[in-house]
Each structure stands twice: as C-alpha cells, then as structure tokens.
Amino acid sequence: MNFLRSVLHALWMLVTVIPWALIMLVASLRVRGIPLYWMAARWLGWAIDGARVLLGIQVRVTGMAHLPQGETSPAILLVKHQSTFETFLMPTLMPHPLAYVFKKELLQVPFFGWAMGRLDMIHIDRGQRTKAFGKVVAQGKRLLAQGIWIIMFPEGTRIPRGQAGVYKSGGTRLAVATGAPVIPVAVTSARCWPRKAFIKRPGVVDVSIGPLMPSEGRDPEELMREVEAWIEAEMRRLDPEAYVRTERDAPAAAAHS
C-alpha cells in the first residue's frame, strides 16, 4: 500500500511541477522578486498537501512564537536535514520569503532547477570557497534587508534517521557577518520520508522551532555548537525511538568492523 501511495505522490509531483515551472518561467519575464517567490511556494504547498492526502503524512509544528515579528526583522534558519520533505515544507510554514543557499549544480535540474534559477536565491560554486562565502554575505545582507530570511542546512546533506552529521559553521559565520539572529529548527522528516527512499510511510513529522539566538559579537564556531546542541537534543526528544535503535545497533556494527 505504501508503494502505491508513493507512486501516486510521485506522479502528482511530476504532473504539477512541469506546467507550474513553465508558468513561472513565463511569469518571470514580467514578475520578479517576492511575488514570484510566493508563486513557487504555491507549488510547494501542493506537494505538501499531496503528501498529506496521498501519503498520510501529517505535520505538527511547535515554537512559531519564537519567530521574529517585524516585517523586515532578519533571521537565519538553520534546519536539521533528513530528507527532501523539509526543503518543500519550510516555505509553506514561514511568514517571510526564504532564500535557500544551495550549490549551483541544482540549477541544471529540468523544470524544478530552471524555475529556482528565476528566484532570488543564493547559489554558490563550491570550487571557489572563499569567493563563494563573500558572495553569500553580500547577497545575504541585501536579502535580509528586504525581510527575506536565509535558510541553510548546517549538516550540508541529508542525514539518516537517528544520526547526526557534521555541523559546518557557514550559517553562523553568515549570521555573525550580517548581525542576523539564528533560529535552530529540528525536523523528524525521516520518520515518514527517509533520505533517498522512494517509498514513504504515513505518520507525523514534527517541526520544532527553537529560541532565537543572537549572533552579534559571537564566535561562529561556538554559536554553531550551541545550534547543534539544541537541535540534536530536540531530535532525541521528538524521536527517541530512532536514537535508542541507533545506539543499540552501534556496538554490533563496531564488532563487525
């Protein structure tokens, strides 16, 4: 049953993304910036609605009161990364437009990447790290001044359920450079939508938005350790079963290595 549900959802995504991407490409000839972003977010909402109806994935959100309230109040979201689900979900939850920081290779993905290329995002060339970070800071300051929030996944890649990746300090370096506060976000998406898995499972994805962490005068590495500590502690609270299983299996895996 889960396989059939997953097939239906994949078809739903396919038949909606192609015409919507084409509509966005045409619309971008006259509409840019924030209005075009909300057009893109509409399709992401369809993807999440499809996951709810076709896959049986519900979303439970806590901590919305931690988000800044001002129209141009800046924020940098640092989000736990377990699957594609949260990349679709976050724009549907946040009251401000989001600018993702992503590798420029994603712009080559047919339709989805082409449409992303028309949005005001931050795409970087990882082969030019120093120059790339300078570009992120310059664009980040411009976007934050417009009330657009920056979103980054500090682990850099999707991490299996019950595990923690290496938290890189790029997000906190950007926060310190721009003076924007950091907001950590824990997401248990792999409970229903495992990384690199075609078959999804029904259930509840918890999204916990943490307290605002000021960045001014902070050391980026220290601030990232604080972000990591909060996110990983919250993940264990939200999905204890996954971490109990990982810790139980670790000794066995070490014995066979």
Side-chain angles (χ1 to χ4, degrees), residues 47-126:
I48 297 300
D49 288 342
R52 175 175 49 81
V53 174
L54 298 173
L55 299 175
I57 298 177
Q58 307 294 322
V59 176
R60 181 167 54 204
V61 184
T62 57
M64 289 291 286
H66 290 144
L67 297 175
Q69 299 300 311
E71 187 174 334
T72 58
S73 297
I76 296 177
L77 306 178
L78 298 181
V79 183
K80 178 71 177 179
H81 202 14
Q82 290 192 325
S83 78
T84 305
F85 187 77
E86 57 266 15
T87 63
F88 291 169
L89 177 64
M90 296 308 293
T92 71
L93 298 178
M94 293 297 130
H96 283 237
L98 302 180
Y100 283 81
V101 180
F102 61 91
K103 55 185 179 181
K104 68 176 185 179
E105 288 80 4
L106 291 178
L107 298 174
Q108 300 170 10
V109 177
F111 299 105
F112 183 80
W114 301 341
M116 282 183 65
R118 308 302 290 178
L119 298 173
D120 207 351
M121 303 285 177
I122 304 174
H123 42 89
I124 59 175
D125 183 350
R126 291 186 175 180

Side-chain angles (χ1 to χ4, degrees), residues 211-257:
L212 185 147
M213 299 180 180
S215 65
E216 293 185 6
R218 298 292 304 273
D219 174 71
E221 298 289 344
E222 179 190 3
L223 181 55
M224 182 53 73
R225 287 194 293 271
E226 186 177 332
V227 168
E228 178 180 3
W230 189 91
I231 290 178
E232 293 303 322
E234 190 69 356
M235 291 298 296
R236 288 172 178 271
R237 185 186 73 82
L238 296 172
D239 194 11
E241 176 189 350
Y243 290 87
V244 168
R245 185 175 63 247
T246 299
E247 291 167 357
R248 184 181 64 237
D249 294 344
H256 288 87
S257 62

Side-chain angles (χ1 to χ4, degrees), residues 32-54:
R32 297 303 292 268
I34 292 177
L36 192 65
Y37 168 87
W38 290 120
M39 284 185 64
R42 186 175 305 173
W43 179 80
L44 297 175
W46 292 347
I48 297 300
D49 288 342
R52 175 175 49 81
V53 174
L54 298 173

Side-chain angles (χ1 to χ4, degrees), residues 176-219:
V176 172
T178 60
V182 164
I183 299 175
V185 182
V187 184
T188 63
S189 55
R191 183 188 287 158
C192 303
W193 187 314
R195 73 173 193 137
K196 300 181 180 179
F198 177 76
I199 299 177
K200 287 80 175 177
R201 299 185 295 267
V204 177
V205 171
D206 280 295
V207 178
S208 179
I209 301 168
L212 185 147
M213 299 180 180
S215 65
E216 293 185 6
R218 298 292 304 273
D219 174 71

Side-chain angles (χ1 to χ4, degrees), residues 21 129 153 174 180 247:
R129 292 185 178 275
F153 300 108
L174 175 62
E247 291 167 357

